[in-house]
């Protein structure tokens, strides 16, 4: 079950920031005000086609998500984890919350190291309070310090282009694939008349959690063999999405838009995998795992047929929910008489059929064989880079220390550098927002990391003095590998989203000391795949 949490004592204070504004952490009593702010701020990000000559309504799905986040029944955060700016002079009936940012804690992994990633989320600012630095204050004075207080050595987030770079973020983690298959009636083969599906989907229940844990812990079952950084699907994760979320009060249809199903082989009478999709004004395929020995070509079309059918039922429920909300709003306004045209519009709106599920958006990992198997069906996509997530590692030394077992494991597997003793010095030119220091030094002894610390490139005079002292003491010349990267871009190498070669070719400020240093970086920080769950709400 989701643990009951009380507000941490170190976060109970209210911070006066002037002009009648104060910063504080949330309680469940703030849910509706924060939801209203987020719904208003994201109204132009609403799903579906919107007329370009009208201001769209508030973003209802995100408002529902905020209410859950602040309900005390969320997997990602407690009701005390929203940083708020409050207008203490707000007039009666006016929303006092003018800016907000949530902090999620996401169980994750880097190689063999399990850890929690911090994730700022659902950030919003009222239009009348923008360009005052309120989001900056929330991020730098509340969200980041609290994340670091919890031991997070990394934060990641989706976000509007460029904006979060000013807070020390770099694009370094890849988001789900996002390719689409449309015209499903033509692309998905229909079941032959008179035949029954051999592979059926059934909704997962609490008793299935051990099975889900076992299968999701197997990278081969999830087709994540090349994935080295990602979200951890542990007991709390599965228990939440198949059970706990249904035990807490539901606020709207959008309150749980995920469906986890078990794939059963009816002929053999056994479970052979699981599937997970999300419906939020569209169908997203998130996970598709199979037991060893099960051929994807046999299972994929039955799974797709039934997943689309489930999503169609969800589309109907969503449509009915939206229609009931519109009816409630009309009753609240106490509209007694309407013009003939208004009446026609209302009748048309309420009789409109639920949207047909005609497209699947793929949120599976980029190495999942389903992408290759169905490659001929994908809609044409523009030739452009993968979507990336903002990533912040403000203390590289602390991060290296945390993930040392994963880095040492890579060296052990290497035929070239196993058991090496060397010092790696990395120069980042200057300290900027989101960096503790202008450089990093990592000391290896017999293939183990014995020290990771902030470092500053010595001046030529300091280098000469160091050589003089070493010779006077008759000490051997140390073995040193080196490289330089412009500020923050080392995060891409650390996450494996870009190789050292790609960074060097992208910008001449990035360089390595010599070929041996280059090879060492390739072994220590190889290019890898990511598996990031964006909606652990």
């Amino acid at each position: 079950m989701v643990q009951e949490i009380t507000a941490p004592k170190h976060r109970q204070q209210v911070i006066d920031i002037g002009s009648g504004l104060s910063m504080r952490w949330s309680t469940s009593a703030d849910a509706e005000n924060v939801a209203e702010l987020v719904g208003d701020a994201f109204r132009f990000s609403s799903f579906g086609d919107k007329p370009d000559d009208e201001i769209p309504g508030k973003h209802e799905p995100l408002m529902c998500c905020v209410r859950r986040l602040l309900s005390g029944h969320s997997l990602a955060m407690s009701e005390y984890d929203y940083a708020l700016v409050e207008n203490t002079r707000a007039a009666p009936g006016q929303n006092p919350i003018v800016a907000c940012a949530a902090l999620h804690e996401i169980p994750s992994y880097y190689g063999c190291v399990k850890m929690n990633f911090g994730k700022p989320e659902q950030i919003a600012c009222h239009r009348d309070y923008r360009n005052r630095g309120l989001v900056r204050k929330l991020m730098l004075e509340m969200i980041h310090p609290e994340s670091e207080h919890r031991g997070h050595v990394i934060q990641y987030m989706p976000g509007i282009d460029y904006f979060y770079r000013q807070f020390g973020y770099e694009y370094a983690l890849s988001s789900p694939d996002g390719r689409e298959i449309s015209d499903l009636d033509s692309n998905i083969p229909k079941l032959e008349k008179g035949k029954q599906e051999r592979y059926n989907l059934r909704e997962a229940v609490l008793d299935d959690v051990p099975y889900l844990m076992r299968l999701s812990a197997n990278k081969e079952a999830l087709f994540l063999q090349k994935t080295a950084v990602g979200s951890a699907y542990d007991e709390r994760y599965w228990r939440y999405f198949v059970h706990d979320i249904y035990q807490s009060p539901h606020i709207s249809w959008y309150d749980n838009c995920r469906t986890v199903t078990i794939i059963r082989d009816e002929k053999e009478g056994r479970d052979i995998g699981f599937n997970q999709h999300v419906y939020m004004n569209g169908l997203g395929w998130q996970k598709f795992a199979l037991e060893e020995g099960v051929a994807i070509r046999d299972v994929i079309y039955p799974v797709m047929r039934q997943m689309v059918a489930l999503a169609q039922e969800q589309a109907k429920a969503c449509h009915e929910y939206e229609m009931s909300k519109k009816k409630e709003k009309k009753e609240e306004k106490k509209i007694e008489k309407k013009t003939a045209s208004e009446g026609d519009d209302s009748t048309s709106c309420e009789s409109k059929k639920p949207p047909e599920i005609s497209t699947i958006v793929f949120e599976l990992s980029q190495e999942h064989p389903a992408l290759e198997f169905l490659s001929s069906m994908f809609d044409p996509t523009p030739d452009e880079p993968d979507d990336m997530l903002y990533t912040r590692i403000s203390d590289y030394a602390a991060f290296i220390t945390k993930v040392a077992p994963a880095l040492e494991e890579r060296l052990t597997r290497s035929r070239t550098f196993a058991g090496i003793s060397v010092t790696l010095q990395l120069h980042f030119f200057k300290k900027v927002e989101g960096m503790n220091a202008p450089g990093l030094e990592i000391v290896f002894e017999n293939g183990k990391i014995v020290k990771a610390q902030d470092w500053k490139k010595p001046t030529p005079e300091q280098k000469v003095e160091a050589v003089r002292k070493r010779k006077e003491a008759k000490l051997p010349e140390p073995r040193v590998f080196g490289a330089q990267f412009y500020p923050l871009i080392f995060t891409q190498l650390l996450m494996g989203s870009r190789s050292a070669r790609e960074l060097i070719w992208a910008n001449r400020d990035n360089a390595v000391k010599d070929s041996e240093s280059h090879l060492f970086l390739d072994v220590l920080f190889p290019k890898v795949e990511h598996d990031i769950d964006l909606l652990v709400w």
Side-chain angles (χ1 to χ4, degrees):
M1 296 291 290
V2 178
Q3 287 184 318
E4 292 295 330
I5 301 174
T6 57
K9 290 184 179 179
H10 72 281
R11 293 198 281 124
Q12 292 179 358
Q13 73 276 17
V14 176
I15 305 169
D16 187 342
I17 59 175
S19 302
L21 302 179
S22 63
M23 292 196 305
R24 63 174 175 85
W25 291 95
S26 61
T27 70
S28 57
D30 295 304
E32 201 55 42
N33 286 333
V34 177
E36 286 293 320
L37 173 63
V38 170
D40 179 63
F42 284 89
R43 63 171 69 235
F44 288 97
S45 300
S46 295
F47 300 113
D49 296 328
K50 305 293 179 183
D52 57 9
D53 58 349
E54 294 180 13
I55 301 295
K58 293 178 181 178
H59 199 303
E60 179 70 20
L62 288 187
M63 293 176 71
C64 294
C65 290
V66 170
R67 295 183 186 110
R68 163 157 292 282
L69 291 173
L70 285 169
S71 70
H73 299 283
S74 169
L75 178 65
M77 61 174 273
S78 77
E79 62 266 45
Y80 306 109
D81 293 331
Y82 236 120
L84 308 176
V85 176
E86 182 174 19
N87 176 14
T88 60
R89 302 173 184 171
Q94 183 181 9
N95 188 352
I97 306 303
V98 299
C100 62
L103 175 61
H104 294 186
E105 184 169 271
I106 310 298
S108 306
Y109 63 88
Y110 182 97
C112 62
V113 178
K114 294 181 179 179
M115 55 202 293
N116 288 328
F117 288 7
K119 186 188 179 198
E121 259 289 5
Q122 301 269 1
I123 301 169
C125 185
H126 190 279
R127 66 179 70 85
D128 293 341
Y129 289 83
R130 291 172 188 165
N131 300 312
R132 297 191 190 186
L134 298 185
V135 171
R136 169 178 286 274
K137 293 187 74 67
L138 288 175
M139 295 292 282
L140 301 186
E141 298 180 29
M142 297 185 75
I143 295 295
H144 290 163
E146 174 60 21
S147 185
E148 288 154 10
H149 176 81
R150 298 184 190 185
H152 304 158
V153 292
I154 178 174
Q155 294 88 29
Y156 75 95
M157 61 181 294
I160 56 178
D161 294 346
Y162 188 77
F163 182 78
Y164 292 97
R165 286 185 178 275
Q166 64 184 305
F167 309 132
Y169 287 82
E170 175 59 67
Y171 292 109
L173 286 170
S174 58
S175 60
D177 185 88
R179 281 181 281 180
E180 298 182 358
I181 292 179
S182 56
D183 192 14
L184 301 182
D185 281 343
S186 299
N187 278 316
I188 301 178
K190 292 179 173 58
L191 182 66
E192 291 183 31
K193 191 173 182 180
K195 288 193 174 184
Q196 293 184 332
E197 298 281 17
R198 171 175 172 175
Y199 304 99
N200 280 322
L201 300 184
R202 64 169 177 82
E203 189 169 351
V205 296
L206 189 58
D207 288 344
D208 293 311
V209 168
Y211 179 76
L212 293 165
M213 288 174 59
R214 178 180 68 79
L215 214 55
S216 59
N218 182 349
K219 284 192 173 184
E220 291 187 0
L222 273 175
F223 307 102
L224 299 175
Q225 292 94 325
K226 298 178 183 178
T227 300
V229 184
S231 305
Y233 308 121
D234 56 13
E235 181 178 6
R236 287 185 65 241
Y237 178 95
W238 291 117
R239 185 183 179 98
Y240 181 76
F241 283 113
V242 305
H243 179 267
D244 291 357
I245 197 169
Y246 298 105
Q247 308 307 306
S248 56
H250 277 229
I251 299 163
S252 80
W253 184 90
Y254 293 111
D255 207 32
N256 179 25
C257 52
R258 290 194 183 203
T259 302
V260 181
T261 51
I262 302 297
I263 307 170
R264 186 163 183 81
D265 184 337
E266 302 294 357
K267 182 177 180 180
E268 296 188 5
R270 68 185 182 101
D271 298 334
I272 60 162
F274 71 82
N275 195 67
Q276 180 174 306
H277 74 267
V278 59
Y279 178 80
M280 189 178 284
N281 288 80
L283 172 57
W285 196 356
Q286 296 185 315
K287 294 178 184 62
F288 178 29
L290 294 174
E291 295 275 12
E292 184 178 359
V294 178
I296 192 171
R297 66 178 181 274
D298 296 332
V299 183
I300 193 166
Y301 291 133
V303 166
M304 292 176 74
R305 283 192 290 265
Q306 293 171 72
M307 179 173 62
V308 171
L310 285 171
Q312 192 62 62
E313 292 177 8
Q314 292 165 329
K316 180 181 178 181
C318 178
H319 175 74
E320 291 173 352
Y321 168 76
E322 289 176 340
M323 293 301 100
S324 68
K325 291 290 289 184
K326 289 180 180 180
K327 185 176 180 180
E328 287 176 9
K329 288 180 181 178
K330 290 176 181 178
E331 290 176 351
E332 288 173 3
K333 293 178 180 180
K334 297 180 180 179
I335 299 178
E336 296 178 354
K337 293 182 180 180
K338 302 181 180 73
T339 61
S341 61
E342 286 176 330
D344 291 341
D345 288 342
S346 174
T347 302
S348 173
C349 176
E350 293 182 2
S351 63
K352 188 188 298 182
K353 294 181 179 179
E356 290 292 326
I357 302 298
S358 58
T359 300
I360 298 176
V361 178
F362 280 71
E363 300 174 17
L364 303 172
S365 69
Q366 297 190 15
E367 59 178 310
H368 200 293
L371 301 181
E372 181 178 4
F373 186 84
L374 302 171
S375 59
S376 62
M377 300 182 187
F378 284 117
D379 297 343
T381 55
D383 184 15
E384 58 186 24
D386 297 334
D387 285 338
M388 302 294 288
L389 301 173
Y390 283 115
T391 311
R392 176 181 180 268
I393 303 176
S394 66
D395 189 337
Y396 285 134
F399 186 88
I400 293 294
T401 301
K402 181 76 173 180
V403 303
L407 302 179
E408 292 166 358
E409 187 178 86
R410 291 171 181 174
L411 290 179
T412 300
R413 292 197 304 263
S414 167
R415 300 288 295 271
T416 307
F417 298 111
I420 192 172
S421 295
V422 69
T423 296
L424 175 62
Q425 295 175 339
L426 302 170
H427 173 50
F428 306 136
F429 295 97
K430 67 176 183 177
K431 178 182 176 181
V432 299
E433 180 63 57
M435 289 174 55
N436 270 13
L440 171 67
E441 183 177 73
I442 311 172
V443 180
F444 298 82
E445 290 183 5
N446 300 318
K448 300 292 183 182
I449 296 174
V450 297
K451 184 188 297 183
Q453 61 187 5
D454 295 338
W455 178 75
K456 184 176 181 179
K457 183 179 179 180
T459 64
E461 293 79 7
Q462 289 171 330
K463 288 182 179 179
V464 170
E465 182 63 21
V467 171
R468 184 183 295 122
K469 288 181 178 180
R470 176 177 56 78
K471 288 182 176 180
E472 289 175 354
K474 297 182 179 180
L475 297 174
E477 183 177 358
R479 189 177 189 185
V480 178
F481 294 157
Q484 64 182 35
F485 301 98
Y486 68 82
L488 299 179
I489 201 64
F490 176 63
T491 302
Q492 291 191 358
L493 186 65
L494 199 52
M495 291 294 101
S497 59
R498 299 288 183 269
S499 67
R501 177 180 176 82
E502 288 173 332
L503 293 179
I504 291 167
W505 277 84
N507 191 306
R508 73 174 306 276
D509 291 329
N510 303 324
V512 293
K513 178 182 177 182
D514 49 38
S515 59
E516 197 171 18
S517 297
H518 196 157
L519 182 58
F520 187 72
L521 290 175
D522 287 343
V523 170
L524 200 61
F525 307 117
K527 192 171 181 181
V528 299
E529 297 290 343
H530 306 142
D531 176 45
I532 304 298
D533 191 324
L534 289 179
L535 295 174
V536 186
W537 292 353

